[in-house]
């Protein structure tokens, strides 16, 4: 697990990982440093299997219950998405290796044997994999749209709440 830090590098498993700030886009620090307080969400490097970037959501000091619920729902959607793509990509990698092993002719002599499949040969696998997983992708897309529509509606509720708070504080 990579700890997200504001605009700095974190050494993990002998690999330096560049972490950057989503809003300001800075990544100018090349030395290890402790996390700094932030006022916005932080995004990390892509996961090697799911290819999704983890997000550490900012928790305001005086977070209201409606804001907390919105943040928690965003985290749940992120986790659901991460789980789906991790499972899907593991399946893809496993099936691709099996396809290559099954369709790669045995080496007749060292150095002259074919070691990879051509793009045309691999296209057979890609089409088969997509056809086999078509229903799963349709279900994922439908659920993903509904989850995101729910998040948009919740974001509007949070925005209206903040506007009301601002109007109440301005009138006093």
């Amino acid at each position: 697990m990579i700890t997200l830090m504001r605009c700095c590098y974190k050494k993990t498993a002998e690999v330096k990982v560049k972490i950057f700030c989503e809003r300001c886009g800075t990544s100018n620090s090349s030395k290890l440093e402790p996390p700094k307080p932030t006022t916005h969400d932080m995004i990390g490097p892509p996961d090697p299997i799911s290819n999704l970037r983890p997000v550490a959501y900012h928790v305001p000091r005086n977070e209201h219950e409606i804001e907390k619920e919105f943040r928690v729902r965003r985290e749940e959607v992120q986790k659901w998405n991460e789980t789906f793509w991790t499972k899907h990509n593991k399946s893809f990698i496993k099936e691709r290796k099996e396809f290559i092993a099954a369709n790669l002719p045995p080496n007749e002599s060292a150095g002259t044997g074919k070691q990879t499949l051509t793009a045309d040969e691999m296209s057979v696998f890609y089409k088969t994999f997509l056809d086999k997983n078509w229903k799963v992708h349709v279900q994922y897309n439908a659920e993903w749209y509904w989850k995101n529509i729910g998040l948009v509606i919740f974001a509007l509720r949070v925005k209206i709440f903040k506007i009301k708070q601002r109007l109440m504080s301005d009138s006093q």
Side-chain angles (χ1 to χ4, degrees):
M1 174 114 183
I2 296 172
T3 304
L4 298 178
M5 297 186 340
R6 186 176 178 353
C7 305
C8 66
Y9 293 90
K10 169 89 174 144
K11 192 169 182 173
T12 306
E14 298 303 315
V15 177
K16 280 191 175 181
V17 180
K18 192 175 188 179
I19 306 294
F20 61 93
C21 174
E22 174 190 49
R23 185 168 291 167
C24 64
T26 59
S27 60
N28 53 5
S29 176
S30 61
K31 61 184 178 189
L32 293 174
E33 57 186 63
K36 297 175 186 173
T38 181
T39 58
H40 46 279
D41 299 340
M42 302 298 294
I43 299 181
D47 179 79
I49 298 176
S50 71
N51 295 318
L52 298 177
R53 293 179 173 275
V55 179
Y57 294 101
H58 168 67
V59 181
R61 211 173 342 122
N62 299 327
E63 184 177 44
H64 190 272
E65 190 61 37
I66 193 167
E67 294 172 306
K68 180 180 179 183
E69 190 174 345
F70 176 52
R71 179 179 48 80
V72 168
R73 286 186 185 205
R74 289 172 67 198
E75 290 169 348
E76 289 170 354
V77 171
Q78 176 185 340
K79 187 175 181 178
W80 168 82
N81 205 22
E82 180 77 28
T83 302
F84 173 84
W85 285 109
T86 298
K87 181 182 172 192
H88 179 271
N89 290 350
K90 281 181 180 179
S91 171
F92 174 82
I93 291 166
K94 178 182 171 247
E95 291 181 34
R96 183 180 63 192
K97 284 180 182 177
E98 291 170 356
F99 179 83
I100 291 171
N103 291 289
L104 199 59
N107 290 344
E108 294 159 5
S109 62
T112 61
K114 186 176 175 183
Q115 295 183 2
T116 60
L117 296 176
T118 66
D120 287 339
E121 292 168 327
M122 286 304 296
S123 69
V124 172
F125 164 73
Y126 297 133
K127 178 168 180 11
T128 304
F129 184 82
L130 288 174
D131 288 346
K132 183 175 86 172
N133 289 289
W134 179 81
K135 190 179 263 186
V136 172
H137 285 205
V138 168
Q139 290 170 342
Y140 165 81
N141 283 336
E143 193 169 348
W144 186 81
Y145 284 127
W146 281 113
K147 286 178 183 291
N148 279 289
I149 288 169
L151 288 177
V152 168
I153 291 169
F154 223 97
L156 288 171
R157 287 179 58 197
V158 169
K159 197 64 155 172
I160 291 168
F161 170 77
K162 287 182 177 183
I163 290 170
K164 283 181 181 179
Q165 270 190 325
R166 200 174 314 129
L167 290 174
M168 295 282 203
S169 66
D170 287 347
S171 67
Q172 292 175 0

